[in-house]
Amino acid sequence: GVWCGFTRPRIIDPTYSGFAEIAKDYYNCLREVMGESQYYSMDPFHEGGSISSGKYEEAYYAVYEAMETAKRGAQWVIQQWQWDRNQRKSIHAVPAGRLVVLDLFSDGKPAFDNYNGYAPQEAVFCAIPNFGGRSGLMGRLNNMADNYFTYKAKYPSIQGIGVAPEAIEQTPVTYDLLFQLPWMETKPDMGQWIKEYATARYGVSNAEVQQAWELLRQSVLNYGADAIQGPVEDVWAARPNLNANPASAWGKTLNHAGGIYTKARRQMLIDAVYKLLAQEKALKLKEGSVYESNYLYDLVEFGGGVMADYAYDLLLGIRDARNAGNTALYEARRDAFLQLILDMDAFKGTN
């Protein structure tokens, strides 16, 4: 098959007569190195994989049969991501209850309705907090809570939650909410939840800090079922260009995401950071405590987001000055942009 214009590595067609013997050897080696498991993750046709025989139902069953031969009662874990008509055949090609389908983008674009909740197989509600290690800020807190309780009530096949980050160490609040959801009986009031989260994160109840987190919940943590995958990218992650947009193959910078990450939301982020910063003394956080660590992390994380947004504005200003032929203004904004990169490095280096 083909992936993004590249020829994929070859795979053995599971309908090939010698597949069972090869699979047996593979599982024997796997057992020697890793031991046995109840779950085996296999995605033979993920993002463009194909077999020349075209016998996809038989192929899925052959993969299942090889697993069952190696470990009786094991379950096959498979990702649902942009399935084509052949991949969806896995649901009924594998015996009921022996396939666990990870609905990868449940927090953004859940696909449960497209496959009747993946019945008769089990399914997992998943989130992808970051695509490709992007450095910007993003969360889908409201959407995540709404989707989880909506689809959990609709499809009993959903047996749990999962997280599938292509990078980590961004917006930990996303993980904190996701991992709490299965313990809740009903959908939380997200306004109240974020207040309690702010108190738990810093170990003290502070109205200004709670307001700051509410602003975050309504801005950078309030993406919904939109087309953007992962955070809005920092413009300085792109190759140098006055029209830099985007930084990665299918990412989004502020220019592309303007309809989602509006000026009003950007201002909320700025206001939230100032509120957090102003409460440093009032919080009275013990030096070296986990609460101080959380506070400093959040200041750098969200403050860095403000600086990244400003960098985009500066780039537009540089371009406008160049187009207007204003050399002095161009040089001033250029120098400010270069200095901002150094400032960002220094700022991020504090935590």
Side-chain angles (χ1 to χ4, degrees):
V2 176
W3 181 85
C4 293
F6 296 96
T7 301
R8 293 167 54 100
R10 293 185 180 275
I11 63 171
I12 300 172
D13 188 331
T15 64
Y16 162 59
S17 59
F19 177 78
E21 190 63 28
I22 295 171
K24 179 181 177 181
D25 291 341
Y26 168 79
Y27 278 107
N28 285 337
C29 290
L30 183 64
R31 188 179 297 109
E32 289 179 11
V33 176
M34 301 294 293
E36 288 188 327
S37 176
Q38 175 62 28
Y39 302 97
Y40 291 87
S41 176
M42 295 172 281
D43 293 274
F45 310 119
H46 184 68
E47 291 195 5
S50 62
I51 48 176
S52 57
S53 70
K55 299 178 180 179
Y56 288 92
E57 290 186 50
E58 293 90 335
Y60 278 116
Y61 187 80
V63 172
Y64 156 76
E65 194 171 41
M67 178 189 72
E68 175 69 5
T69 299
K71 176 67 188 295
R72 298 292 178 186
Q75 289 180 283
W76 175 356
V77 180
I78 193 169
Q79 301 176 95
Q80 189 294 122
W81 177 254
Q82 300 175 347
W83 272 2
D84 59 25
R85 61 187 179 86
N86 292 318
Q87 288 171 286
R88 68 188 303 149
K89 293 176 181 178
S90 63
I91 297 173
H92 297 289
V94 175
R98 306 304 298 278
L99 194 67
V100 179
V101 184
L102 308 181
D103 188 85
L104 289 185
F105 204 10
S106 304
D107 61 326
K109 290 186 176 181
F112 298 106
D113 286 341
N114 297 338
Y115 308 100
N116 190 33
Y118 304 101
Q121 310 295 353
E122 295 180 352
V124 176
F125 180 100
C126 296
I128 308 179
N130 193 302
F131 286 76
R134 297 174 192 163
S135 56
L137 299 172
M138 194 202 74
R140 304 179 193 273
L141 300 191
N142 302 318
N143 214 54
M144 183 187 295
D146 288 344
N147 287 354
Y148 176 77
F149 285 97
T150 295
Y151 290 101
K152 188 73 169 65
K154 189 173 183 180
Y155 297 113
S157 54
I158 298 176
Q159 296 295 302
I161 58 164
V163 61
E166 294 182 353
I168 203 165
E169 292 296 331
Q170 295 98 4
T171 52
V173 63
T174 297
Y175 300 87
D176 290 329
L177 174 62
L178 177 65
F179 296 147
Q180 282 187 31
L181 291 177
W183 301 94
M184 300 176 181
E185 294 184 359
T186 58
K187 184 177 72 173
D189 176 328
M190 288 306 299
Q192 182 61 31
W193 185 89
I194 206 72
K195 284 183 180 180
E196 295 173 359
Y197 178 83
T199 299
R201 188 152 178 82
Y202 307 131
V204 60
S205 179
N206 180 294
E208 285 294 303
V209 168
Q210 290 174 347
Q211 290 175 19
W213 274 95
E214 176 61 19
L215 289 170
L216 295 171
R217 184 181 74 86
Q218 294 180 27
S219 56
V220 292
L221 302 178
N222 191 30
Y223 284 79
D226 45 58
I228 190 169
Q229 293 182 352
V232 172
E233 295 178 319
D234 297 348
V235 72
W236 44 39
R239 293 181 179 180
N241 190 314
L242 289 180
N243 298 300
N245 211 353
S248 62
W250 47 79
K252 306 286 185 184
T253 58
L254 282 174
N255 186 40
H256 282 172
I260 303 164
Y261 188 43
T262 61
K263 286 186 176 180
R265 287 191 178 189
R266 291 175 60 189
Q267 186 59 51
M268 286 181 183
L269 173 61
I270 294 171
D271 294 344
V273 171
Y274 273 114
K275 283 181 178 290
L276 283 176
L277 188 59
Q279 296 306 304
E280 180 182 8
K281 291 183 179 180
L283 287 173
K284 299 179 180 178
L285 302 176
K286 183 179 179 181
E287 186 176 355
S289 69
V290 66
Y291 300 120
E292 183 195 47
S293 176
N294 289 343
Y295 176 75
L296 295 176
Y297 176 93
D298 292 339
L299 279 181
V300 172
E301 183 81 347
F302 295 114
V306 171
M307 295 174 73
D309 290 349
Y310 178 51
Y312 178 77
D313 293 333
L314 262 182
L315 183 66
L316 294 184
I318 294 169
R319 188 179 67 192
D320 291 344
R322 191 279 309 266
N323 292 341
N326 190 328
T327 302
L329 187 58
Y330 170 85
E331 291 178 348
R333 290 175 174 174
R334 176 203 62 195
D335 293 345
F337 186 89
L338 295 175
Q339 182 59 49
L340 187 59
I341 295 176
L342 299 178
D343 292 343
M344 181 65 137
D345 284 342
F347 181 61
K348 288 283 189 175
T350 63
N351 183 268

